[in-house]
Amino acid sequence: MRHGIHLAGIAGGLMMVAGGPAIATSCPTTTPAQGAVVAPETAKQSAATTAGLISERIATTVSGSVTAGGPQLGWVGCGATLTEDGEEAQLGAAAAGAQPAAAPVAPAKRNAVWVGTSGMRVNKSDYGGAYAGSVLNGVVGYDRRVSRRLVLGMAVGYEGVDIDTKYNAGTLESTSLSLAPYAGLLLTNWLTADATVGYSRVNYDFTRSSRSITGSTTANRWFGATNLTARRKLGRLTGWTALGYLRLGEERAAYLEQNGSSVSASSVNLGQVRWTVGGAYDIALRKVTVTPNLFARLEVDAPASEQVSLGSGLVANDDRTGAVFGGGLDFGFKNGLSLGLGANTTQFRENTRVYGGFLNLRYPF
């Protein structure tokens, strides 16, 4: 399995855009609109995590393996021999050092159900735009190997965001449900491709001025992610590299606050190019294969989010480049059940830090 939103996982990861020292500009000296500072970044964090969780499942299913790695990566183990009638060699013998030809062959399990969850702590310290809080994601899905190279599936996701907006002595809370079909394709015995598209309906609740003024609105969010992954396995050691792209857009409706103030409609338009490298090592035990893994991912926002006015001539930082570092442990059982645990952190985006943990469970049948 792979770890890293991460809408998202896709969705995961995560993966924040703005951050950094306040910059003087000619922007209007007004208080930032409710949610304008936070929403673009939490939207990307959530969508990237959801897409990441989905892409992780695609990679595992397409390759037929249960070894580990970073999010949105796929591979084929040297001992997993795919045949024309959908059968595949069991990975246990390969992990134990046996030659592929000696691996026992069993009927492939074409269907799978899975669940992925993640929790993120987000901190941003822009002067005039500081906030901190949590982003929680959960995804459940079903997929089927329709041919020896192609997997199709559907996922449903839930998102919960709870942020203290220190810049206006308030809060931002949101919940959403997502629907995301996905596909994975085994191109060669070392190269895989995956893609997902999704739609989310988001409900926002805002407060400000010591939480005395409230407001609520809704938003429509679209997101998509695609990844191309190359992998090489040498004995128990696996290395990989992946290139991917995440894109999301969100349209948030105008609304009236409790005191009658009008807040205009707003939109989010974000993209992100991702390059990941990682490694994993299989430890074959009697009933389970344990796989420690590490990965690092470079992220470049293209297009990046628009700078947001923070008032008093200040704007949010538009730092477009960051990196995600993570690792974990995966457990592959002989009946096909797989469990993954991991953690990651987003670094090198000015004034922005993200820390997260992940749990993934998959059962083929």
Side-chain angles (χ1 to χ4, degrees), residues 98 121 135 163 166 172 175 183 189 202 248 251 261 272 333 345-346 362:
R121 178 68 182 179
V135 179
I163 302 291
K166 302 176 183 179
L172 178 151
T175 58
N189 65 349
V202 190
L248 74 91
E251 297 293 333
S261 298
Q272 190 177 89
F333 300 90
T345 178
T346 299
R362 175 178 181 267

Side-chain angles (χ1 to χ4, degrees), residues 15-21 296-301 317-325 345-355:
M15 296 190 273
M16 305 299 293
V17 188
R297 180 171 64 243
L298 175 66
E299 301 175 341
V300 180
D301 297 340
N317 186 273
D318 64 344
D319 190 359
R320 298 187 176 194
T321 304
V324 178
F325 304 94
T345 178
T346 299
Q347 300 293 327
F348 306 134
R349 293 188 185 270
E350 291 186 63
N351 291 356
T352 303
R353 296 293 181 269
V354 183
Y355 303 92

Side-chain angles (χ1 to χ4, degrees), residues 149-167:
R149 294 187 179 274
L150 178 63
V151 171
L152 299 176
M154 179 67 71
V156 178
Y158 171 82
E159 163 199 318
V161 176
D162 187 357
I163 302 291
D164 290 326
T165 52
K166 302 176 183 179
Y167 58 86

Side-chain angles (χ1 to χ4, degrees), residues 238-276:
T238 302
W240 66 82
T241 183
L243 183 64
Y245 185 67
L246 169 74
R247 188 64 184 266
L248 74 91
E250 180 175 298
E251 297 293 333
R252 194 164 54 253
Y255 64 97
L256 290 175
E257 293 183 316
Q258 186 183 31
N259 65 349
S261 298
S262 176
V263 180
S264 301
S266 59
S267 63
V268 175
N269 179 26
L270 295 170
Q272 190 177 89
V273 178
R274 298 171 156 201
W275 177 47
T276 309

